[in-house]
Amino acid sequence: DGGITQSPKYLFRKEGQNVTLSCEQNLNHDAMYWYRQDPGQGLRLIYYSQIVNDFQKGDIAEGYSVSREKKESFPLTVTSAQKNPTAFYLCASSTIGPQETQYFGPGTRLLVL
Amino acid sequence: QKEVEQNSGPLSVPEGAIASLNCTYSDRGSQSFFWYRQYSGKSPELIMFIYSNGDKEDGRFTAQLNKASQYVSLLIRDSQPSDSATYLCAVNIRGTYKYIFGTGTRLKVLA
């Protein structure tokens, strides 16, 4: 059963704490992405990766970090430097090519205690 | 500034009617165009993609692309209450791996 999985579904962060959101795909997609969605707003790109061991900052990378050690996995760490982390975090993946299409995982909702 | 613009709505249509959702984009380098449906509290679900000028039909959905006018639309025929959701327009810029999303149009189908 192919797809993108994200865990956990809900995550609670205390002040000053780093938390890591998991994203795994078995679609054999080369590119993976992290977006943040705030209520009533569009998706904002945090980081993206086209190949293993390489990634690029998106529009709102400050306070976040990523790694891409395996093609299937692209975890996102929300660091204590991110002062307003409460949001819906979406992981996506796509093929690379002239007709690439992006698909999303189910999302992780991060809340600050 | 690369932008994708959508009317936020809500767009209200009666059950069985045609819903027409519109999207304009500013970057002429845009090469691929996507429509996603997002139910409240859920992640976006891809419903249509279009790469060439003209119409593309898939069931009750038709995507229309006009690159000269930088305009892409989504028509939903025989609208159902289950179609009530936010519809996100997205474009992919040629030569990049980035997708630019609009803020979405909220559709309400009234039973």
PDB file of all heavy atoms in Angstrom, chain A residues 101-113:
ATOM      1  N   THR A 101       4.209  15.437 -10.086  1.00  0.00           N
ATOM      2  CA  THR A 101       2.978  15.704  -9.361  1.00  0.00           C
ATOM      3  C   THR A 101       3.247  15.481  -7.884  1.00  0.00           C
ATOM      4  O   THR A 101       3.864  14.495  -7.501  1.00  0.00           O
ATOM      5  CB  THR A 101       1.863  14.760  -9.846  1.00  0.00           C
ATOM      6  OG1 THR A 101       1.737  14.904 -11.266  1.00  0.00           O
ATOM      7  CG2 THR A 101       0.536  15.110  -9.202  1.00  0.00           C
ATOM      8  N   GLN A 102       2.766  16.388  -7.065  1.00  0.00           N
ATOM      9  CA  GLN A 102       3.063  16.360  -5.643  1.00  0.00           C
ATOM     10  C   GLN A 102       1.888  15.787  -4.864  1.00  0.00           C
ATOM     11  O   GLN A 102       0.732  16.176  -5.100  1.00  0.00           O
ATOM     12  CB  GLN A 102       3.360  17.783  -5.175  1.00  0.00           C
ATOM     13  CG  GLN A 102       3.893  17.883  -3.762  1.00  0.00           C
ATOM     14  CD  GLN A 102       4.288  19.314  -3.434  1.00  0.00           C
ATOM     15  OE1 GLN A 102       3.461  20.144  -3.118  1.00  0.00           O
ATOM     16  NE2 GLN A 102       5.577  19.598  -3.492  1.00  0.00           N
ATOM     17  N   TYR A 103       2.204  14.903  -3.927  1.00  0.00           N
ATOM     18  CA  TYR A 103       1.194  14.282  -3.069  1.00  0.00           C
ATOM     19  C   TYR A 103       1.541  14.565  -1.620  1.00  0.00           C
ATOM     20  O   TYR A 103       2.715  14.675  -1.264  1.00  0.00           O
ATOM     21  CB  TYR A 103       1.141  12.772  -3.300  1.00  0.00           C
ATOM     22  CG  TYR A 103       0.740  12.394  -4.696  1.00  0.00           C
ATOM     23  CD1 TYR A 103       1.698  12.213  -5.691  1.00  0.00           C
ATOM     24  CD2 TYR A 103      -0.607  12.243  -5.039  1.00  0.00           C
ATOM     25  CE1 TYR A 103       1.333  11.890  -6.980  1.00  0.00           C
ATOM     26  CE2 TYR A 103      -0.978  11.914  -6.332  1.00  0.00           C
ATOM     27  CZ  TYR A 103      -0.004  11.739  -7.294  1.00  0.00           C
ATOM     28  OH  TYR A 103      -0.369  11.418  -8.571  1.00  0.00           O
ATOM     29  N   PHE A 104       0.491  14.640  -0.782  1.00  0.00           N
ATOM     30  CA  PHE A 104       0.670  15.005   0.614  1.00  0.00           C
ATOM     31  C   PHE A 104       0.426  13.847   1.573  1.00  0.00           C
ATOM     32  O   PHE A 104      -0.384  12.956   1.305  1.00  0.00           O
ATOM     33  CB  PHE A 104      -0.294  16.134   0.993  1.00  0.00           C
ATOM     34  CG  PHE A 104       0.107  17.464   0.443  1.00  0.00           C
ATOM     35  CD1 PHE A 104      -0.274  17.857  -0.825  1.00  0.00           C
ATOM     36  CD2 PHE A 104       0.901  18.328   1.191  1.00  0.00           C
ATOM     37  CE1 PHE A 104       0.120  19.087  -1.338  1.00  0.00           C
ATOM     38  CE2 PHE A 104       1.291  19.557   0.698  1.00  0.00           C
ATOM     39  CZ  PHE A 104       0.902  19.937  -0.581  1.00  0.00           C
ATOM     40  N   GLY A 105       1.141  13.884   2.697  1.00  0.00           N
ATOM     41  CA  GLY A 105       0.838  13.008   3.807  1.00  0.00           C
ATOM     42  C   GLY A 105      -0.333  13.557   4.609  1.00  0.00           C
ATOM     43  O   GLY A 105      -0.860  14.631   4.293  1.00  0.00           O
ATOM     44  N   PRO A 106      -0.742  12.848   5.667  1.00  0.00           N
ATOM     45  CA  PRO A 106      -1.926  13.248   6.436  1.00  0.00           C
ATOM     46  C   PRO A 106      -1.707  14.434   7.364  1.00  0.00           C
ATOM     47  O   PRO A 106      -2.679  15.013   7.851  1.00  0.00           O
ATOM     48  CB  PRO A 106      -2.262  11.993   7.235  1.00  0.00           C
ATOM     49  CG  PRO A 106      -0.956  11.274   7.349  1.00  0.00           C
ATOM     50  CD  PRO A 106      -0.208  11.554   6.092  1.00  0.00           C
ATOM     51  N   GLY A 107      -0.466  14.807   7.617  1.00  0.00           N
ATOM     52  CA  GLY A 107      -0.189  15.990   8.430  1.00  0.00           C
ATOM     53  C   GLY A 107       0.033  15.700   9.903  1.00  0.00           C
ATOM     54  O   GLY A 107      -0.403  14.679  10.436  1.00  0.00           O
ATOM     55  N   THR A 108       0.748  16.622  10.545  1.00  0.00           N
ATOM     56  CA  THR A 108       0.955  16.609  11.995  1.00  0.00           C
ATOM     57  C   THR A 108       0.552  17.971  12.527  1.00  0.00           C
ATOM     58  O   THR A 108       0.999  18.999  12.016  1.00  0.00           O
ATOM     59  CB  THR A 108       2.432  16.352  12.350  1.00  0.00           C
ATOM     60  OG1 THR A 108       2.788  15.014  11.989  1.00  0.00           O
ATOM     61  CG2 THR A 108       2.678  16.547  13.849  1.00  0.00           C
ATOM     62  N   ARG A 109      -0.282  17.940  13.566  1.00  0.00           N
ATOM     63  CA  ARG A 109      -0.696  19.204  14.185  1.00  0.00           C
ATOM     64  C   ARG A 109       0.164  19.417  15.421  1.00  0.00           C
ATOM     65  O   ARG A 109       0.163  18.592  16.336  1.00  0.00           O
ATOM     66  CB  ARG A 109      -2.179  19.156  14.550  1.00  0.00           C
ATOM     67  CG  ARG A 109      -2.785  20.528  14.775  1.00  0.00           C
ATOM     68  CD  ARG A 109      -4.307  20.482  14.760  1.00  0.00           C
ATOM     69  NE  ARG A 109      -4.861  20.078  13.494  1.00  0.00           N
ATOM     70  CZ  ARG A 109      -5.037  20.887  12.447  1.00  0.00           C
ATOM     71  NH1 ARG A 109      -4.676  22.155  12.521  1.00  0.00           N
ATOM     72  NH2 ARG A 109      -5.569  20.427  11.331  1.00  0.00           N
ATOM     73  N   LEU A 110       0.902  20.524  15.433  1.00  0.00           N
ATOM     74  CA  LEU A 110       1.804  20.842  16.542  1.00  0.00           C
ATOM     75  C   LEU A 110       1.195  21.938  17.396  1.00  0.00           C
ATOM     76  O   LEU A 110       0.769  22.981  16.877  1.00  0.00           O
ATOM     77  CB  LEU A 110       3.158  21.307  15.990  1.00  0.00           C
ATOM     78  CG  LEU A 110       4.199  21.769  17.006  1.00  0.00           C
ATOM     79  CD1 LEU A 110       4.554  20.652  17.974  1.00  0.00           C
ATOM     80  CD2 LEU A 110       5.450  22.272  16.292  1.00  0.00           C
ATOM     81  N   LEU A 111       1.158  21.671  18.688  1.00  0.00           N
ATOM     82  CA  LEU A 111       0.596  22.621  19.633  1.00  0.00           C
ATOM     83  C   LEU A 111       1.627  22.910  20.720  1.00  0.00           C
ATOM     84  O   LEU A 111       2.394  22.029  21.114  1.00  0.00           O
ATOM     85  CB  LEU A 111      -0.672  22.051  20.271  1.00  0.00           C
ATOM     86  CG  LEU A 111      -1.798  21.707  19.280  1.00  0.00           C
ATOM     87  CD1 LEU A 111      -2.862  20.866  19.960  1.00  0.00           C
ATOM     88  CD2 LEU A 111      -2.406  22.975  18.719  1.00  0.00           C
ATOM     89  N   VAL A 112       1.628  24.132  21.201  1.00  0.00           N
ATOM     90  CA  VAL A 112       2.571  24.530  22.241  1.00  0.00           C
ATOM     91  C   VAL A 112       1.864  24.530  23.592  1.00  0.00           C
ATOM     92  O   VAL A 112       0.788  25.108  23.736  1.00  0.00           O
ATOM     93  CB  VAL A 112       3.146  25.930  21.952  1.00  0.00           C
ATOM     94  CG1 VAL A 112       4.071  26.361  23.092  1.00  0.00           C
ATOM     95  CG2 VAL A 112       3.903  25.915  20.639  1.00  0.00           C
ATOM     96  N   LEU A 113       2.493  23.868  24.574  1.00  0.00           N
ATOM     97  CA  LEU A 113       1.918  23.831  25.923  1.00  0.00           C
ATOM     98  C   LEU A 113       2.283  25.103  26.685  1.00  0.00           C
ATOM     99  O   LEU A 113       3.381  25.637  26.507  1.00  0.00           O
ATOM    100  CB  LEU A 113       2.410  22.603  26.672  1.00  0.00           C
ATOM    101  CG  LEU A 113       1.954  21.254  26.105  1.00  0.00           C
ATOM    102  CD1 LEU A 113       2.594  20.131  26.890  1.00  0.00           C
ATOM    103  CD2 LEU A 113       0.440  21.156  26.145  1.00  0.00           C
TER     104      LEU A 113
END
